[in-house]
């Protein structure tokens, strides 16, 4: 399901989620201090474009926690709301449930991106 799922995902919603992550990354990279945060956004934009076959591992320490708090306040909440809303819409139909679950995975990542890795 990986290749076909990613293709359908990109056409029916993944493009917009990935574009949101890219925009957030560009906005963070405008400032010198925000470049590490922007680079993290670019890394997760690839997950938002093609999520099937990839897993997110969560971890991190105090530094990741503090960055996650800053992230939620500035950028994380809108990205999480967008992904969760799209996930709810997709889960209305039986065919859309796998795609909705990918949206929920991205919504969780939008709330805690630092200390996370994509495998």
């Amino acid at each position: 399901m990986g290749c076909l799922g990613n293709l359908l995902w990109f056409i029916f919603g993944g493009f917009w989620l990935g574009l949101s992550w890219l925009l957030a990354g560009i906005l963070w990279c405008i400032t010198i201090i925000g470049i590490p945060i922007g680079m993290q956004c670019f890394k997760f934009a690839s997950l938002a474009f093609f999520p099937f076959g990839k897993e997110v591992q969560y971890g991190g320490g105090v530094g990741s926690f503090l960055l996650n708090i800053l992230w939620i306040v500035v950028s994380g909440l809108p990205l999480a709301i967008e992904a969760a809303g799209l996930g709810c819409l997709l889960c209305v139909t039986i065919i859309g449930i796998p795609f909705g679950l990918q949206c929920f995975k991205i919504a969780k990542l939008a709330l805690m991106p630092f200390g996370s890795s994509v495998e």
Side-chain angles (χ1 to χ4, degrees), residues 3-76:
C3 186
L4 180 62
N6 280 328
L7 179 65
L8 291 172
W9 168 263
F10 187 78
I11 293 170
F12 295 113
F15 174 74
W16 296 111
L17 284 176
L19 200 62
S20 297
W21 279 95
L22 283 176
L23 180 63
I26 290 169
L27 291 175
W28 275 103
C29 283
I30 288 174
T31 66
I32 304 268
I33 296 170
I35 290 176
I37 299 171
M39 298 307 289
Q40 191 80 348
C41 289
F42 296 143
K43 182 171 69 171
F44 293 132
S46 67
L47 174 73
F49 281 130
F50 304 108
F52 286 94
K54 297 179 183 173
E55 292 297 320
V56 179
Q57 300 297 322
Y58 294 97
V62 174
S64 296
F65 176 74
L66 294 176
L67 277 174
N68 281 330
I69 296 297
L70 175 68
W71 169 259
I72 287 172
V73 170
V74 177
S75 298

